[in-house]
């Protein structure tokens, strides 16, 4: 069992254990994986994209207002270091469309133009060569928090580290050294983002 399969297996159990087994069954009956063509596009834009993320997209090509089999779904698949706060997985198409988002929206923050914005020292201050892969939005349509894979860290960071952006107060924090470690942390926390607040 690879890291993605292990993660999904535990996530399924968490949904079932928390009384949302029917939600999981419906999700599994509707979802579809990413196409090979879109994987090739992702790998062309992000040559260092982790295999674990590709495997996750092969399992389900996004859970954020995604239309599968004529049905649009939203489904919580991920979390972060923010306790009990759920996130969606973006689709390959959404990831590709958002490839310039960090530069467009956050250049001033990354360049440390605002003292009140906390930016992790592992994150570069140079935006001319910035390469972030935006893979997840929080339950608030991404307005409160977003997750990125950072391929252009500072000298103190590591390529492939996971960045969590949090709004109000604005903050950019490295929460894992790589995508596999990020998933492992969610497993170790017991998938705490699957809770009674989000299960209807």
């Amino acid at each position: 069992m690879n890291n993605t399969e292990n993660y999904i297996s535990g996530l399924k159990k968490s949904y079932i254990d928390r009384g949302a087994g029917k939600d999981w069954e419906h999700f599994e009956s509707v979802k579809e994986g990413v196409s090979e063509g879109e994987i090739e596009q992702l790998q062309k834009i992000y040559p260092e994209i982790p295999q674990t993320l590709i495997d996750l997209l092969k399992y389900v090509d996004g859970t954020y207002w995604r239309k599968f089999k004529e049905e649009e779904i939203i489904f919580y698949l991920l979390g972060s270091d923010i306790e009990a706060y759920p996130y969606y997985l973006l689709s390959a198409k959404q990831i590709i469309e958002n490839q310039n988002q960090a530069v467009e929206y956050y250049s001033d923050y990354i360049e440390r133009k605002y003292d009140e914005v906390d930016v992790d020292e592992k994150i570069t201050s140079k935006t001319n060569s910035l390469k972030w892969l935006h893979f997840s939005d929080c339950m608030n349509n991404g307005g409160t928090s977003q997750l990125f894979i950072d391929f252009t860290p500072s000298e103190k960071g590591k390529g492939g580290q996971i960045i969590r952006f949090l709004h109000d107060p604005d903050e950019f924090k490295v929460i894992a050294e790589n995508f596999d470690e990020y998933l492992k942390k969610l497993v170790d926390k017991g998938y705490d983002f699957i809770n009674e607040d989000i299960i209807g």
Side-chain angles (χ1 to χ4, degrees):
M1 184 179 291
N2 64 32
N3 288 341
T4 301
E5 291 169 339
N6 181 64
Y7 179 80
I8 293 297
S9 176
L11 182 63
K12 176 180 179 178
K13 185 176 185 301
S14 292
Y15 267 94
I16 293 171
D17 289 350
R18 290 165 172 80
K22 289 185 178 180
D23 292 343
W24 183 270
E25 288 177 9
H26 179 70
F27 163 66
E28 284 211 316
S29 72
V30 173
K31 72 169 185 66
E32 296 174 357
V34 66
S35 70
E36 288 298 323
E38 286 178 315
I39 290 175
E40 291 177 4
Q41 289 182 57
L42 280 174
Q43 291 175 324
K44 185 175 181 180
I45 298 169
Y46 300 104
E48 298 172 281
I49 184 172
Q51 183 62 44
T52 307
L53 176 55
I54 291 176
D55 290 342
L56 200 56
L57 289 167
K58 285 181 177 179
Y59 173 75
V60 58
D61 185 25
T63 64
Y64 183 50
W65 298 112
R66 284 291 282 120
K67 193 171 186 179
F68 297 119
K69 299 173 182 175
E70 303 305 312
E71 181 174 348
E72 195 170 57
I73 68 164
I74 54 172
F75 196 80
Y76 300 122
L77 205 76
L78 299 167
S80 75
D81 62 319
I82 303 172
E83 186 176 353
Y85 198 57
Y87 292 70
Y88 307 104
L89 173 68
L90 299 189
S91 68
K93 181 180 178 182
Q94 290 167 328
I95 290 170
I96 291 167
E97 289 175 346
N98 292 347
Q99 62 183 287
N100 297 315
Q101 186 184 68
V103 173
E104 292 173 357
Y105 291 175
Y106 305 128
S107 286
D108 286 352
Y109 294 166
I110 295 166
E111 293 173 358
R112 279 57 167 191
K113 293 184 177 179
Y114 303 104
D115 292 337
E116 64 271 21
V117 178
D118 188 11
V119 182
D120 198 306
E121 64 180 3
K122 296 176 183 178
I123 297 172
T124 185
S125 60
K126 302 172 184 177
T127 56
N128 58 343
S129 59
L130 195 75
K131 198 73 170 179
W132 288 10
L133 185 159
H134 176 203
F135 69 92
S136 183
D137 277 341
C138 72
M139 65 184 298
N140 185 26
N141 297 319
T144 300
S145 185
Q146 298 172 324
L147 302 176
F148 301 87
I149 303 177
D150 176 13
F151 298 111
T152 51
S154 72
E155 292 181 357
K156 295 183 178 180
K158 292 188 176 182
Q161 63 191 11
I162 307 302
I163 294 173
R164 185 262 297 138
F165 165 67
L166 182 66
H167 175 59
D168 196 18
D170 291 344
E171 177 190 55
F172 292 85
K173 180 180 178 181
V174 173
I175 61 172
E177 290 189 353
N178 54 61
F179 195 78
D180 284 69
E181 181 184 277
Y182 159 70
L183 289 186
K184 185 178 184 301
K185 286 186 174 184
L186 299 182
V187 172
D188 291 345
K189 288 173 66 179
Y191 304 88
D192 69 352
F193 57 92
I194 305 302
N195 56 68
E196 59 185 15
D197 293 333
I198 67 166
I199 295 174

